[in-house]
Amino acid sequence: MTGPEPITVNGQDFPDLPARMLRLDELRDCLLRRACTQDTRDAVWAHLVSASRAEGAVWTLGCVGVALPALIRASAALTSRFVGDTADIEAAVLAGFIAELAQIDCSRMQIMVRLRWAAYRAGHAAVREALDTPLPGGTTPSSSPPPRPWGHPDIVLARAVADEVITPDEAHLIGATRLERIPLTEVAEHSGVSYEAIKKKRQRAEHKLVDYLRDDNDAGHDDETTARTASPAQSTPAGRRRCADGLSRTCGESGVQKCGARPALPSPAPALKEDTPCD
């Protein structure tokens, strides 16, 4: 983007772009504008991916620069509640994006959305691996709750895909129309299906996603209920147990003084014999 000969893209080759040579930072700003259509974004990204595959390092780095806002957002969502070192997760996001550059199908729409999803999945796998790693020997366990980075909508979709609740295409459809705000009519036109067909496809996917999230929430609620309704013998200290009828015992072993009774004096401790070893 700097220096006497920065790599550029000819804006004349694409609709909605200025008719001049554009540095990649200028190209990125144009793609982020709301006025830029999905067709233009896909055409530009198809050009960038082809250049990356043909030219290698310089254009691959250029693709990363154009995608940087999306990659930063992915890393921020994954590491916002992660208490460990985030460098490995950020590296996984970048590696997932670069790996997808070499294999993504540029004939399909929403190229950047699918590249970003590949970056998310790679970063999410790194988060799960970090959370599942046992603590090193000699480390004192912390009493704080484990980090939960999966509350972000994109990560929820990634978990649903990993658990085979919805397909990657259904996740892309929900992400593009609900999170990216791409009109459903535009998605239907590019997919070659009717508006009603794509609408029903999204509805079916969202119903499965809602049921999945409800089941996950109910499981957590059942665990909490089980903990609250545990038997007294399991949850109450021995010195504070109660009878089955809910009343405190009044026998001598209970430690509860009856009405009108004199306080019992504590029994004197037995004297130690001279040959009794002391701790």
Side-chain angles (χ1 to χ4, degrees):
M1 299 181 188
T2 60
E5 296 181 358
I7 55 175
T8 57
V9 171
N10 191 351
Q12 291 181 338
D13 296 338
F14 307 98
D16 303 327
L17 296 185
R20 59 182 176 84
M21 301 303 293
L22 300 171
R23 296 193 318 267
L24 293 188
D25 55 341
E26 296 175 315
L27 179 65
R28 179 181 61 200
D29 294 340
C30 291
L31 295 179
L32 291 175
R33 292 171 184 163
R34 289 185 176 272
C36 186
T37 64
Q38 187 63 43
D39 284 339
T40 299
R41 293 191 181 103
D42 285 338
V44 170
W45 270 106
H47 173 76
L48 294 175
V49 171
S50 298
S52 171
R53 293 174 181 174
E55 302 294 335
V58 174
W59 278 96
T60 299
L61 184 61
C63 289
V64 173
V66 177
L68 197 58
L71 298 180
I72 290 175
R73 181 184 173 192
S75 297
L78 288 163
T79 60
S80 60
R81 300 183 183 179
F82 187 75
V83 297
D85 187 4
T86 62
D88 288 342
I89 298 172
E90 293 165 353
V93 169
L94 180 59
F97 174 82
I98 294 176
E100 190 68 12
L101 280 177
Q103 61 186 12
I104 191 168
D105 183 4
C106 293
S107 64
R108 297 173 54 197
M109 64 176 298
Q110 300 175 13
I111 297 175
M112 182 55 216
V113 172
R114 288 182 282 126
L115 285 170
R116 190 186 66 180
W117 266 103
Y120 269 124
R121 289 194 294 270
H124 185 259
V127 172
R128 296 297 294 268
E129 181 180 358
L131 295 180
D132 293 340
T133 301
L135 293 174
T139 302
T140 303
S142 173
S143 61
S144 60
R148 301 189 59 178
W150 46 84
H152 192 279
D154 291 319
I155 306 306
V156 171
L157 291 175
R159 286 179 57 214
V161 172
D163 291 342
E164 299 182 351
V165 176
I166 57 177
T167 65
D169 285 341
E170 291 172 333
H172 294 158
L173 176 60
I174 296 174
T177 57
R178 296 300 191 187
L179 304 180
E180 296 292 323
R181 304 293 185 181
I182 298 176
L184 201 56
T185 53
E186 187 174 332
V187 176
E189 180 181 353
H190 283 82
S191 302
V193 298
S194 66
Y195 172 81
E196 288 299 324
I198 203 72
K199 179 181 178 181
K200 290 180 180 179
K201 179 180 179 181
R202 185 178 69 177
Q203 287 177 340
R204 290 193 295 268
E206 289 179 335
H207 285 321
K208 290 187 290 186
L209 183 62
V210 169
D211 292 340
Y212 166 71
L213 296 176
R214 284 178 175 170
D215 290 342
D216 191 29
N217 184 64
D218 290 343
H221 178 72
D222 291 343
D223 292 342
E224 183 181 352
T225 303
T226 302
R228 288 201 306 263
T229 59
S231 62
Q234 295 174 342
S235 59
T236 308
R240 299 178 59 188
R241 293 177 184 169
R242 295 184 177 272
C243 298
D245 60 358
L247 299 177
S248 298
R249 295 179 299 181
T250 57
C251 60
E253 298 177 355
S254 68
V256 179
Q257 179 182 326
K258 294 183 180 180
C259 181
R262 286 180 170 272
L265 296 177
S267 301
L272 294 173
K273 298 182 180 179
E274 293 183 359
D275 58 349
T276 303
C278 296
D279 294 334

